[in-house]
Amino acid sequence: MKILDETRNLTPYMVDLRNYFHAHPELGLQEFNTSKKIEEELDKIGLDHVRVGDTNVIATIDSGKKGKTLLLRADIDALPIQEANDVPYKSQNKGIMHACGHDGHTASLLGAAKILIRHKNDFTGRIILAFQAAEEIGKGARDIIDAGILDTADRCFGIHFQSSLPVGTVGIRSGADMASCDRFKITVSGKSAHITCPDQGIDALFIASLTATKLQTVVSRLVNPAEGALIGVGRIESGTSYNIIAGDAELEGTIRTFTKETREKLQKAVTEIASNTAKEYGGSSEIFIDDLCDPVNNDEESTKEVITSAEKIFGKENVITGIEKRFMADNFADYFRKAPGCYVHVGSSDGERTSHDHHNEHFDLAETCYAYAAALHVQYALDYLK
């Protein structure tokens, strides 16, 4: 039986699991019920598992034969969004929703685990199943790395559903695929005064606004247009009254790049602009930059391997290798610090209902997409560990 046929036969199992996770979403680092449910399923499958931190779940399928080690990853956390869909599996947790497909990722990897157990005699080495917490807030992955889970890994592989692609297709890109993500917070300190006496105050709101404006010019001056990068400010908060010069201000934003060198260059630029702008007008700035995740740069050899496996599942004509790189980020990239690998985008749309953008209150997945994701996990594992 072909791998895709095997996973299609498991579709009811994966649909039930996905709908359970969808109805009971949990935010990053709070996925206690989700982790417990994953462990219950792993127990039924017959796989030993361990916790890393509070909510990461790690299981291993060991062939008993010497060989390489492959890590397969699914993220498990949800988003702070109120669901607008009227479906039987609608979120039961107010203000929390699986609006990015992580519920489907988890169900698909559990489905893949059931199939891989059946094929235990068909591969050598080990498969690590990583059910990772807190991807949406840039956590989880480094806890798994720090625990040594990837110390023996030779490859890592991950799948993300993509609502802009139809079911039965997959997007794979060698090299730069998704951007790094840094979150910055700049706190400006000035001096309050009556708004009619600007000479007696230091206008933190003005400094913050000018800083935000200057940051919009950085990429166009410091980054090769062919490479691309992004600095965006999403929040400015300042002031207490219409007639008082603000003594404090705070702005937050993000830096997105595709290379380590550009990332470091833009981090330095943000720091210098914030500091110098504040000093120019008599104030001061405190700058904090939080390194959330590396850029997803798919290893060339790993990508070729995955394309070969994907063609067996999707057909050569449905493997899209010319997808555009994107400024969204995913901390699956951090696993590349320990092992080369590839991250791919599996189509999850079968019509208008399932074509909404990710992080949208109407986001949903086509039930037929789980079989393709599970099959690709299985096929690549068998091909790589043959």
Side-chain angles (χ1 to χ4, degrees):
M1 185 182 294
K2 293 182 179 179
I3 297 300
L4 183 57
D5 291 334
E6 291 189 62
T7 56
R8 278 176 169 158
N9 287 341
L10 276 183
T11 291
Y13 168 78
M14 291 185 286
V15 168
D16 286 347
L17 272 179
R18 183 266 173 168
N19 290 353
Y20 175 86
F21 292 129
H22 191 88
H24 303 88
E26 296 172 297
L27 297 177
L29 304 181
Q30 300 174 34
E31 310 97 336
F32 300 105
N33 178 67
T34 302
S35 297
K36 182 180 177 183
K37 179 68 172 178
I38 291 168
E39 289 169 335
E40 290 173 356
E41 292 304 317
L42 291 171
D43 288 339
K44 294 175 186 176
I45 294 169
L47 289 175
D48 292 333
H49 47 82
V50 296
R51 286 276 183 110
V52 172
D54 290 330
T55 50
N56 296 288
V57 179
I58 307 296
T60 303
I61 304 174
D62 195 327
S63 70
K65 293 168 281 188
K66 186 177 180 180
K68 298 177 181 179
T69 298
L70 169 67
L71 179 136
L72 304 177
R73 176 267 213 169
D75 37 14
I76 67 174
D77 57 320
L79 287 155
I81 295 174
Q82 179 63 45
E83 182 163 13
N85 294 319
D86 185 15
V87 291
Y89 47 87
K90 182 176 181 177
S91 171
Q92 297 177 20
N93 297 338
K94 185 177 180 180
I96 305 175
M97 177 191 176
H98 272 294
C100 201
H102 296 187
D103 47 355
H105 302 166
T106 304
S108 298
L109 188 55
L110 286 168
K114 289 176 75 77
I115 301 295
L116 285 166
I117 287 292
R118 299 176 191 171
H119 289 271
K120 196 172 179 179
N121 293 327
D122 298 335
F123 65 90
T124 62
R126 296 189 313 141
I127 300 169
I128 300 170
L129 307 175
F131 296 90
Q132 181 207 309
E135 187 280 324
E136 295 290 359
I137 56 174
K139 306 296 181 183
R142 292 178 193 173
D143 292 332
I144 292 172
I145 292 169
D146 292 344
I149 301 300
L150 279 89
D151 286 355
T152 59
D154 298 286
R155 284 284 192 279
C156 51
F157 177 65
I159 287 174
H160 201 295
F161 285 124
Q162 182 58 49
S163 63
S164 64
L165 293 175
V167 172
T169 65
V170 59
I172 306 175
R173 179 185 174 90
S174 181
D177 179 43
M178 299 177 76
S180 63
C181 182
D182 293 313
R183 176 185 177 185
F184 62 81
K185 182 165 72 173
I186 301 168
T187 303
V188 181
S189 296
K191 180 182 177 184
S192 296
H194 196 283
I195 205 156
T196 62
C197 304
D199 56 309
Q200 296 178 23
I202 298 173
D203 195 338
L205 174 55
F206 170 72
I207 294 171
S209 300
L210 190 57
T211 299
T213 300
K214 288 182 177 180
L215 290 178
Q216 305 303 318
T217 68
V218 173
V219 170
S220 66
R221 299 300 93 194
L222 296 182
V223 180
N224 185 326
E227 177 188 336
L230 180 149
I231 296 178
V233 176
R235 185 183 74 87
I236 293 182
E237 187 173 325
S238 183
T240 57
S241 178
Y242 79 99
N243 61 350
I244 300 174
I245 290 174
D248 301 287
E250 188 174 89
L251 61 157
E252 287 185 293
T254 184
I255 304 169
R256 307 289 176 106
T257 72
F258 295 100
T259 67
K260 177 182 178 182
E261 295 74 21
T262 300
R263 190 180 190 186
E264 291 173 350
K265 184 187 295 184
L266 295 189
Q267 288 173 345
K268 181 181 178 183
V270 168
T271 301
E272 290 180 347
I273 286 173
S275 179
N276 293 338
T277 302
K279 288 179 182 177
E280 184 179 0
Y281 291 94
S284 63
S285 283
E286 182 179 338
I287 303 99
F288 172 74
I289 299 178
D290 190 7
D291 163 14
L292 294 182
C293 68
D294 294 341
V296 175
N297 281 297
N298 287 327
D299 172 66
E300 183 177 0
E301 183 178 354
S302 303
T303 303
K304 289 179 180 178
E305 296 166 355
V306 173
I307 288 172
T308 299
S309 298
E311 289 176 349
K312 297 176 183 178
I313 301 299
F314 295 87
K316 188 172 183 178
E317 68 280 6
N318 294 316
V319 178
I320 306 165
T321 57
I323 60 171
E324 300 269 342
K325 63 185 180 182
R326 60 200 70 196
F327 282 106
M328 285 83 81
D330 193 300
N331 69 358
F332 178 82
D334 290 343
Y335 296 120
F336 293 161
R337 296 182 178 189
K338 301 294 289 186
C342 183
Y343 196 51
V344 306
H345 309 273
V346 169
S348 62
S349 173
D350 63 356
E352 183 178 353
R353 182 183 63 84
T354 54
S355 63
H356 294 284
D357 289 340
H358 295 246
H359 294 214
N360 179 285
E361 65 272 19
H362 291 285
F363 183 84
D364 207 348
L365 297 167
E367 292 186 349
T368 50
C369 70
Y370 314 132
Y372 283 97
L376 186 53
H377 276 305
V378 173
Q379 189 68 62
Y380 179 56
L382 295 180
D383 288 345
Y384 180 67
L385 299 175
K386 63 186 176 183

